[in-house]
Amino acid sequence: MERLGSLLVRCVVWFGLASALDFQHHGYEDMVRAMLNVQNECPFITRVYSIGRSVEGRHLYVLEFSDNPGIHELLEPEFKYVGNMHGNEVLGRELLILFSQFLCEEYRAGNPRITRLIHDTRIHILPSMNPDGYEVAGSKGPDTNGYLTGRANSRDVDLNRNFPDLNAMMYYFEKNDGPNHHLPLPDNWEQQVESETLAVIRWMRNYNFVLSANLHGGAVVANYPFDKSREARVRGYRKTSYSATADDKIFKKLARTYSYAHGWMHQGWNCGDYFDEGITNGASWYSLSKGMQDFNYLHTNCFEITLELSCNKFPAAQELQREWLGNREALVSYLEQVHLGIKGMVYDENNNGIKNAVISIYGINHDITTGVDGDYFRLLLPGTYTVTASAEGYQPSSSTVTVGPAEAIQLHFYLKAASQETTSETQSAGSNKKVHPHKMAPR
């Protein structure tokens, strides 16, 4: 209660009273209307767009915040929040609607922190990934809603078990010196996933997202990859074992950022469970295959965590204001983490950006790539790193950089075209394996 009291004081002193916010549940039409109202209130910094449709034909609408909506600005990172993946876990949906209203209101009021965030970040908010499931859950309401009612989409498919399973491939490659990023999708993958999943995967591939969070309910904890255990599942036994990514330290930092900025998540005891510091590795909690957060990390440049935000999956409307006060600072603080680490351009000798150039960090077995214009963003903790940029047809280039705790350090690369002799030697080696600088690091 003391923590909540301090949040209430901060609410009045820093941001002002939340009189313009909308503390109610939103059906599909109400949600769309709320998003359009934000766009009407802040037309110069917002854009509403659809990434596709649900099985029943409802648009999956995204609300974008930027000082140049609809445009990727060089060296400006892309961020996303996704809510309501499980239709009956509704708090994330309502929090993202409130967060959108809040960003607009505070920008109009001249809040310097929010203004800087919108000017320096391209923010994408998808309040509901599963609008069909929500309509089923919403028809029951918070009082009579079953634990699984409306969880899946209208074809009774759990969307967080519906992404292509890239973990098994990754775990094989770890033992056989294979690729460590942007793993390929299986043949006919588009026919193997649901409409909502297909829309989100295409969205991920069209935007060079750097950081993301997926909002769920049913527990209170910040969950980070990997979700799927490296150990084989024993028949009839749910295996739990810590499965770290190559970026385990930064993922822990990201999870702690949300947990400690949240009103009570960091306390650990919630919903009858205890999570130290309010965070957990996904597989250490329970192993999950074909989930969205692992897919983000293994197929795109994006780092995503899963936020479990409420014991009650469908809290009553009168609980929404308390939940908003508990999550508001965390939603802002987590978003700000997109500016950690390093960023820069990879140019050719004519100062043209090189797309799909690979950025490798010595000692971290996970690479990222440049976007279509040649810019890159690599989340890193403070420290000194050796960074290598490489691209097909060019000589690789390495540089050492020291990263601080604040804004991302800019580090640009200028690659020279590989000589014909170098290219011929590479081809004659007869190997398609990519050599990573970090492979030489001690284990």
Side-chain angles (χ1 to χ4, degrees):
M1 289 301 295
E2 183 177 334
R3 173 83 177 180
L4 183 57
S6 68
L7 284 170
L8 286 167
V9 171
R10 192 190 310 172
C11 175
V12 175
V13 174
W14 184 26
F15 286 117
L17 294 173
S19 57
L21 301 183
D22 190 9
F23 298 108
Q24 63 175 338
H25 288 293
H26 295 76
Y28 178 73
E29 292 182 359
D30 292 333
M31 178 187 71
V32 174
R33 191 176 299 113
M35 297 171 74
L36 293 175
N37 284 343
V38 171
Q39 185 183 36
N40 289 334
E41 290 294 321
C42 292
F44 301 112
I45 59 164
T46 60
R47 175 176 72 112
V48 174
Y49 66 96
S50 172
I51 62 171
R53 291 179 182 266
S54 68
V55 171
E56 294 183 358
R58 294 181 176 90
H59 278 286
L60 305 183
Y61 282 118
V62 175
L63 181 57
E64 174 190 339
F65 284 85
S66 170
D67 57 345
N68 286 290
I71 300 172
H72 173 72
E73 300 176 69
L74 285 179
L75 301 177
E76 183 172 285
E78 310 259 356
F79 177 96
K80 62 181 166 73
Y81 272 132
V82 178
N84 201 209
M85 183 183 204
H86 291 144
N88 64 333
E89 297 171 13
V90 306
L91 181 60
R93 174 188 180 114
E94 300 306 331
L95 287 176
L96 292 182
I97 293 172
L98 289 165
F99 188 57
S100 300
Q101 295 169 344
F102 166 79
L103 289 177
C104 175
E105 182 183 348
E106 294 302 315
Y107 185 88
R108 293 177 65 194
N111 182 320
R113 183 183 182 192
I114 300 304
T115 299
R116 183 170 60 252
L117 201 54
I118 290 174
H119 285 181
D120 295 345
T121 323
R122 193 178 181 196
I123 305 162
H124 305 257
I125 298 173
L126 173 62
S128 181
M129 181 179 166
N130 185 5
D132 297 351
Y134 177 89
E135 293 304 304
V136 174
S139 66
K140 302 293 183 182
D143 298 323
T144 59
N145 193 281
Y147 194 76
L148 296 177
T149 305
R151 174 185 174 91
N153 73 349
S154 66
R155 282 162 39 91
D156 201 29
V157 175
D158 186 329
L159 298 180
N160 206 30
R161 312 290 192 278
N162 188 234
F163 284 77
D165 185 0
L166 301 181
N167 293 75
M169 188 186 305
M170 182 71 236
Y171 300 159
Y172 173 81
F173 285 155
E174 286 176 342
K175 298 176 181 178
N176 295 276
D177 201 28
N180 65 22
H181 68 105
H182 289 81
L183 301 188
L185 299 184
D187 293 338
N188 301 318
W189 69 270
E190 293 175 322
Q191 285 73 50
Q192 299 172 22
V193 300
E194 294 298 297
S195 299
E196 298 88 352
T197 309
L198 177 62
V200 168
I201 292 176
R202 286 175 172 170
W203 185 39
M204 292 179 189
R205 301 177 93 184
N206 287 334
Y207 292 83
N208 188 18
F209 292 115
V210 178
L211 182 62
S212 173
N214 179 16
L215 281 57
H216 283 249
V220 178
V221 65
N223 176 105
Y224 57 91
F226 285 124
D227 268 337
K228 184 173 181 177
S229 174
R230 284 180 170 82
E231 298 182 22
R233 179 170 179 162
V234 179
R235 186 176 181 84
Y237 176 69
R238 191 170 68 176
K239 192 71 178 176
T240 60
S241 60
Y242 198 109
S243 290
T245 67
D247 288 284
D248 192 55
K249 291 180 180 179
I250 186 73
F251 271 119
K252 285 181 179 177
K253 199 272 185 193
L254 293 170
R256 288 191 186 105
T257 295
Y258 199 94
S259 179
Y260 278 94
H262 187 276
W264 49 89
M265 184 183 287
H266 62 282
Q267 295 172 359
W269 282 109
N270 290 291
C271 317
D273 292 321
Y274 179 75
F275 297 99
D276 189 32
E277 297 187 284
I279 68 173
T280 186
N281 172 260
S284 182
W285 185 11
Y286 62 90
S287 185
L288 181 161
S289 295
K290 301 183 179 181
M292 185 163 72
Q293 76 172 9
D294 288 5
F295 181 87
N296 270 270
Y297 184 70
L298 294 175
H299 185 64
T300 77
N301 288 325
C302 190
F303 287 32
E304 179 174 280
I305 68 172
T306 301
L307 299 171
E308 301 282 353
L309 297 178
S310 61
C311 304
N312 186 348
K313 293 189 174 190
F314 204 130
Q318 56 264 33
E319 298 176 38
L320 294 179
Q321 185 166 6
R322 175 183 180 272
E323 294 288 354
W324 165 245
L325 294 176
N327 282 276
R328 182 190 55 203
E329 171 59 29
L331 288 166
V332 177
S333 294
Y334 182 78
L335 202 165
E336 289 172 330
Q337 304 311 298
V338 77
H339 295 284
L340 296 179
I342 60 175
K343 64 180 181 180
M345 296 291 302
V346 178
Y347 295 108
D348 65 15
E349 293 172 283
N350 297 315
N351 288 329
N352 297 312
I354 302 174
K355 69 177 181 179
N356 294 325
V358 176
I359 304 297
S360 304
I361 310 296
Y362 183 96
I364 301 178
N365 190 26
H366 182 78
D367 303 337
I368 56 98
T369 57
T370 56
V372 294
D373 299 310
D375 56 346
Y376 75 90
F377 308 84
R378 188 34 162 115
L379 299 178
L380 292 168
L381 292 175
T384 299
Y385 301 89
T386 299
V387 186
T388 299
S390 58
E392 186 175 351
Y394 296 88
Q395 299 176 31
S397 175
S398 296
S399 184
T400 300
V401 62
T402 298
V403 175
E407 290 293 302
I409 301 298
Q410 290 199 25
L411 178 64
H412 305 301
F413 291 91
Y414 297 83
L415 302 187
K416 296 181 178 180
S419 65
Q420 189 65 39
E421 181 179 330
T422 303
T423 304
S424 298
E425 288 176 357
T426 302
Q427 291 174 345
S428 66
S431 174
N432 292 322
K433 284 175 69 173
K434 179 166 154 268
V435 178
H436 301 288
H438 45 66
K439 290 296 184 184
M440 299 179 290
R443 294 188 179 275

